């Protein structure tokens, strides 16, 4: 059921000069529950222990390195440096599998723990309220672990504002954004979070932010979505692109595509189909919840 992981590993291994930093991946996974706490309901305040599928994603994102040639700013001579291979995550997973908590922790990992000076972060979705699902969880995680998210030099904590997080040590903001691209040119993102791809009106904002990454050696884009409707054209386009990346019709080894979905021919009433689509089933969502929803699906609209 993890063909996406095998595909990503094989393609990464085929990139010239690429190598897997096992020690780095192991260190991040080991320290993860000491950095991050969960934020919602019965999980609030508990250490964030990675489920297997989340651990695989983290190891792939932080472990694979690739050499690139740059111009050294001091000597103005070409030099080779290693950076993360994966620049973009596209995660497709059903509701209530911990997507927003996972995105929030990943964003903090790259922006705060492994951040760069003036390495700005941005969070967007269909609209500002939807983007708050991730942004507010980032704030909660910071509040739960003040000893982690503070300056090593002065002890000053990361500040949490209504629409911005501020890392004084790195002089870097993380901003909540409306879902429109107007007025967003000139930004220089280091970390970009785009939630609920299926509801994006267009990819204009994502494209605008991506095109502003030029000064960073290893920027990262973290995109995720639950399922959408066929009438949501941008979401369908992104879904189809993701499928093409997985099967090789689009050659992009820098994008990690993760899809959890039942097979198209699967019987949606069969529990094996539920498990194929829901990697955290039992933890969240619970089997009782899913069985209840299935029992209610007695009309075509409810089935959809």
């Amino acid at each position: 059921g993890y063909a996406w992981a095998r595909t990503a590993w094989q393609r990464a291994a085929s990139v010239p000069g690429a190598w897997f930093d096992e020690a780095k991946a192991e260190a991040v996974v080991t320290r993860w529950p000491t950095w991050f706490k969960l934020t919602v309901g019965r999980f609030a305040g508990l250490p964030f222990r990675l489920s297997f599928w989340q651990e695989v994603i983290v190891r792939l994102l932080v472990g694979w390195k690739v050499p690139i040639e740059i111009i050294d700013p001091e000597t103005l001579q070409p030099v080779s440096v290693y950076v993360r291979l994966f620049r973009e995550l596209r995660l497709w997973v059903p509701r209530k599998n911990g997507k927003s908590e996972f995105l929030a922790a990943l964003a903090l990992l790259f922006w705060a723990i492994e951040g760069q000076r003036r390495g700005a972060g941005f969070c967007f979705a269909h609209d500002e309220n939807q983007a708050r699902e991730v942004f507010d969880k980032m704030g909660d995680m910071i509040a739960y672990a003040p000893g982690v998210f503070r300056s090593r030099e002065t002890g000053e904590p990361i500040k949490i504002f209504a629409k911005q997080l501020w890392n004084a040590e790195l002089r870097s903001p993380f901003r909540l954004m409306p879902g429109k691209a107007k007025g967003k040119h000139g930004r220089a993102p280091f970390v970009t979070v785009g939630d609920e791809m299926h509801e994006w009106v267009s990819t204009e904002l994502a494209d605008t932010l991506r095109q502003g990454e030029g000064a960073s050696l290893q920027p990262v884009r973290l995109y995720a979505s639950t399922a959408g409707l066929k009438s949501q054209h941008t979401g369908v386009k992104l879904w189809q692109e993701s499928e093409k990346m997985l099967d090789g019709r689009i050659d992009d080894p820098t994008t990690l595509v993760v899809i959890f979905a039942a097979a198209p021919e699967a019987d949606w009433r069969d529990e094996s189909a539920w498990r194929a689509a829901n990697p955290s089933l039992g933890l969240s969502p619970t089997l009782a919840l899913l069985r209840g929803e299935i029992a209610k699906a007695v009309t075509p609209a409810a089935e959809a």
Side-chain angles (χ1 to χ4, degrees), residues 107-150:
L108 285 173
L109 169 68
F110 292 119
W111 173 71
I113 295 175
E114 299 196 345
Q116 67 177 23
R117 191 164 182 83
R118 298 285 184 183
F122 299 93
C123 182
F124 73 93
H126 170 69
D127 55 30
E128 184 177 304
N129 287 334
Q130 195 176 64
R132 277 198 174 278
E133 285 295 314
V134 173
F135 181 82
D136 287 348
K137 286 176 172 59
M138 292 176 67
D140 288 348
M141 289 179 179
I142 291 170
Y144 273 126
V148 174
F149 299 105
R150 65 171 60 247

Side-chain angles (χ1 to χ4, degrees), residues 12-84:
S14 68
V15 174
W19 67 288
F20 185 72
D21 188 342
E22 184 176 354
K24 169 73 174 188
E26 183 66 27
V28 171
V29 167
T30 299
R31 299 192 67 182
W32 191 276
T34 70
W35 288 332
F36 307 115
K37 286 184 169 59
L38 299 170
T39 68
V40 177
R42 64 191 175 96
F43 302 106
L46 295 177
F48 189 158
R49 303 194 183 282
L50 291 165
S51 297
F52 179 69
W53 66 275
Q54 295 169 328
E55 180 180 335
V56 172
I57 293 171
V58 170
R59 286 183 183 274
L60 288 168
L61 286 176
V62 305
W64 274 104
K65 309 288 182 61
V66 66
I68 62 169
E69 188 173 282
I70 64 169
I71 300 298
D72 184 276
E74 292 185 0
T75 66
L76 299 183
Q77 297 300 310
V79 294
S80 183
V81 297
Y82 276 94
V83 297
R84 290 190 300 267

